[in-house]
């Protein structure tokens, strides 16, 4: 499999095609949602067809937002602190 094209958006690096890639989360595109925290998706205009990963950062007391239903398995990993 070939390397995926990576491009710089106004908010950081994103991946727009098929293939493998390596992007440091610090260099990837981040969005600030105010009271809902900040997140990084790594995806550009084309979404990953089989696997997606997001990094979300919340300050104490910030909420992730209303949960939505997924058609596939979904998991959450808390690296520091606690969630409820």
């Amino acid at each position: 499999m070939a390397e995926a094209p990576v491009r710089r958006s106004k908010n950081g690096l994103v991946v727009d095609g098929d293939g493998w890639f390596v992007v440091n989360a610090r260099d990837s595109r981040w969005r600030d949602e105010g009271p809902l925290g900040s997140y990084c998706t790594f995806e550009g205009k084309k979404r990953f067809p089989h696997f997606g990963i997001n990094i979300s950062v919340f300050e104490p007391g910030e909420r992730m937002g209303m949960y939505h239903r997924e058609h596939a398995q979904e998991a959450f990993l808390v690296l520091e602190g606690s969630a409820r």
Side-chain angles (χ1 to χ4, degrees):
M1 178 174 276
E3 185 174 358
V6 177
R7 70 175 168 84
R8 179 158 303 280
S9 73
K10 67 179 182 176
N11 296 321
L13 297 176
V14 293
V15 178
D16 275 333
D18 295 329
W20 62 270
F21 67 95
V22 176
V23 175
N24 187 316
R26 178 182 9 192
D27 299 327
S28 190
R29 177 176 56 188
W30 283 84
R31 294 188 179 182
D32 183 357
E33 295 295 324
L36 298 178
S38 300
Y39 71 95
C40 166
T41 64
F42 299 101
E43 296 172 318
K45 294 176 184 173
K46 183 177 179 184
R47 296 195 62 156
F48 302 145
H50 303 292
F51 181 77
I53 184 169
N54 301 319
I55 298 174
S56 298
V57 178
F58 303 100
E59 295 297 324
E62 287 183 330
R63 298 172 181 238
M64 184 174 176
M66 295 294 290
Y67 186 73
H68 58 277
R69 174 181 263 191
E70 294 287 343
H71 296 290
Q73 180 177 336
E74 187 171 24
F76 299 89
L77 173 64
V78 178
L79 297 179
E80 184 177 327
S82 62
R84 57 183 177 144

